[in-house]
Amino acid sequence: MSARIVASLALVISLLFTAGAQANTITVNSLNFTLQWPTPNPSTPPANGTTIGTGNQALSFPLFNPTMGYLTRVDLTFDFTTIYGGAISNFGTAPYTGRIVSNSGTTVRYSMAPFGTLWNYSAPPEGPTIEEYVGSFRTSYFRSSPTVGFGSPTISFVNQTDLNQFIGVGNTVNLQASQTYITNLAVSPAQSGVSVSSFQRAFAPRARAVYTFNPFSTPVPSEGGLTFSLAQGPTGGEGQVEPTPLGSRHHNMVSAGPSEPVASESTTARQTFRFQREDGGPQQTLVYINGLLDGLLRADVGGRAEALGIIELYTQSGQFIDRIERLVFADSTHMNNSLVQFQAYERFALPANLLPGNSYELRTELRLKADPRGNGSALADFSHTFDVELSGTLAVPEPASSGLFAIGCLLVSSLARRSKRHN
């Protein structure tokens, strides 16, 4: 048995913008093709009961281009049509009028690594064609009617690990489509000298993906002659995340009193960003991801309250680049179990040499913990903020000592400005 891909290589990509600017969608269809058996020419059908399979055939459509924004959802749907046809020959002396009947259906499977089978469907028997008239010693050509189509339910992906399988520049994602059926073709009513002299089946599978994404924002100038565009990704945890033009602000609070269990909560955010130099240069540039832990910590009678700010940087493909974290705490055991309270205002930064125009992923997290340690109490109140902000400099990346000095200057400048805005 052989199979060949027939018909069009048309790829349809349409942008469908939803109302508002929160999310856009792109719909991509796989290359359309038809599998025929047997090829290249119709032939006498095999004996009834013979199982026929097309083998796996690739359905390809473009991966999501990360330069468009942050992918948040993928919806897949599949459909297929089947049809059969051929010639009916009458070698008898009398004309024949009857139907060609296919009492078998078709089983179709769509699969994709690493997800395995996404849709497996067994279609019902296809039934008879239209009625055929065949004169004595004549041949008439037939085709199943109507052509039947089948569609899958929508299969959705929102998990970030799964979504990463659909992200790439200039590449395609490949689904495998296969079909099997059992030959069971006959003429009805049966008549001596009448038979199907040639036969061919066709199977036309298709796949469709709808990419839902948050587009990049309008470029925003920062310190140092750089402009940044952000695309918002998912947020999680018990607190709130407020997107800002150059980053995000996390807000949360936890507390625990005497004999209460430890209170521990986190707030997470993911964003994609890219930047441009105002001088248009393509060279590697020093970018700073600035963090500010600004909140109230209080503990007494042995209690402890703490806040941990985490900043991580990845390539758009998910490759880890660097990480920085900063812990602030109030521990009353350090003060003979008496009340300890202070307003945290901790600044830190993650520097990285990055390329203009490329997309990078920023992951941030605020972890709060209040541990009464028995009869004590603890409060970590960061309803004000854990603030994350992008900035940079047009200067060519410098040696480590000079770079650290630059970070300090930039932090003082950038975070001092925001402190004034908060007051």
Side-chain angles (χ1 to χ4, degrees):
M1 183 189 69
S2 63
R4 83 182 159 93
I5 297 178
V6 183
S8 71
L9 296 176
L11 175 64
V12 179
I13 304 178
S14 61
L15 275 108
L16 306 175
F17 292 99
T18 60
Q22 288 301 311
N24 291 349
T25 61
I26 301 174
T27 300
V28 293
N29 295 326
S30 65
L31 298 173
N32 295 328
F33 64 86
T34 300
L35 297 173
Q36 292 180 228
W37 189 94
T39 56
N41 300 309
S43 64
T44 301
N48 287 343
T50 303
T51 300
I52 306 296
T54 62
N56 289 328
Q57 301 296 328
L59 288 174
S60 299
F61 49 81
L63 292 169
F64 176 75
N65 188 333
T67 64
M68 301 186 68
Y70 201 110
L71 183 65
T72 59
R73 182 185 178 98
V74 174
D75 294 311
L76 292 181
T77 53
F78 312 106
D79 63 74
F80 68 93
T81 57
T82 59
I83 191 170
Y84 65 88
I88 179 171
S89 297
N90 180 9
F91 297 104
T93 57
Y96 171 81
T97 299
R99 292 177 177 269
I100 295 87
V101 180
S102 175
N103 290 322
S104 65
T106 182
T107 298
V108 174
R109 177 177 287 106
Y110 291 82
S111 60
M112 184 179 75
F115 303 114
T117 299
L118 299 173
W119 187 43
N120 189 75
Y121 183 75
S122 295
E126 293 157 310
T129 68
I130 59 175
E131 191 170 74
E132 294 287 334
Y133 170 84
V134 189
S136 177
F137 299 102
R138 293 286 188 271
T139 295
S140 177
Y141 293 91
F142 66 89
R143 171 178 170 173
S144 61
S145 178
T147 301
V148 181
F150 303 92
S152 77
T154 299
I155 302 169
S156 300
F157 300 89
V158 295
N159 179 275
Q160 194 61 47
T161 301
D162 293 340
L163 292 176
N164 288 341
Q165 306 296 323
F166 297 92
I167 298 174
V169 179
N171 296 318
T172 57
V173 59
N174 293 319
L175 289 150
Q176 299 298 320
S178 60
Q179 173 207 32
T180 57
Y181 65 93
I182 298 174
T183 303
N184 193 342
L185 197 68
V187 291
S188 179
Q191 181 169 312
S192 177
V194 176
S195 63
V196 176
S197 59
S198 61
F199 172 73
Q200 194 166 56
R201 289 187 62 103
F203 164 56
R206 291 183 302 176
R208 171 175 295 178
V210 178
Y211 296 133
T212 301
F213 66 100
N214 295 329
F216 281 100
S217 62
T218 303
V220 178
S222 73
E223 295 287 340
L226 304 183
T227 59
F228 289 88
S229 298
L230 277 74
Q232 303 301 327
T235 60
E238 298 81 4
Q240 295 180 335
V241 178
E242 171 193 351
T244 64
L246 289 172
S248 63
R249 294 193 184 105
H250 297 241
H251 308 279
N252 200 12
M253 178 182 71
V254 297
S255 63
S259 302
E260 291 182 348
V262 176
S264 180
E265 294 185 358
S266 67
T267 304
T268 62
R270 301 174 76 146
Q271 297 171 298
T272 296
F273 73 89
R274 60 188 181 198
F275 71 97
Q276 298 291 346
R277 296 167 59 102
E278 290 182 357
D279 63 5
Q283 60 267 44
Q284 199 174 58
T285 302
L286 192 56
V287 170
Y288 304 101
I289 306 169
N290 304 316
L292 170 63
L293 281 167
D294 187 358
L296 176 66
L297 294 165
R298 186 173 64 219
D300 67 356
V301 194
R304 176 185 170 94
E306 63 181 50
L308 177 66
I310 302 172
I311 297 173
E312 291 184 330
L313 181 62
Y314 293 80
T315 64
Q316 182 61 63
S317 61
Q319 182 179 358
F320 175 76
I321 297 176
D322 206 353
R323 167 191 170 104
I324 192 171
E325 61 181 49
R326 191 58 49 89
L327 175 68
V328 291
F329 64 90
D331 193 332
S332 66
T333 60
H334 296 175
M335 301 294 292
N336 297 319
N337 291 342
S338 61
L339 176 66
V340 55
Q341 174 176 301
F342 73 95
Q343 182 72 39
Y345 194 83
E346 187 73 17
R347 299 175 298 194
F348 59 108
L350 177 64
N353 294 322
L354 306 178
L355 290 172
N358 285 16
S359 296
Y360 299 92
E361 184 176 357
L362 175 60
R363 304 180 190 178
T364 57
E365 182 177 3
L366 173 64
R367 297 179 186 174
L368 301 182
K369 184 177 180 180
D371 186 355
R373 292 175 174 173
N375 294 323
S377 64
L379 169 70
D381 184 356
F382 281 74
S383 8
H384 186 47
T385 189
F386 164 43
D387 206 344
V388 180
E389 185 175 279
L390 293 159
S391 63
T393 175
L394 285 176
V396 175
E398 300 167 334
S401 59
S402 300
L404 290 173
F405 176 76
I407 293 173
C409 294
L410 199 60
L411 272 171
V412 170
S413 172
S414 176
L415 296 177
R417 284 187 298 103
R418 282 186 293 102
S419 177
K420 291 178 182 178
R421 291 201 299 267
H422 294 326
N423 295 331

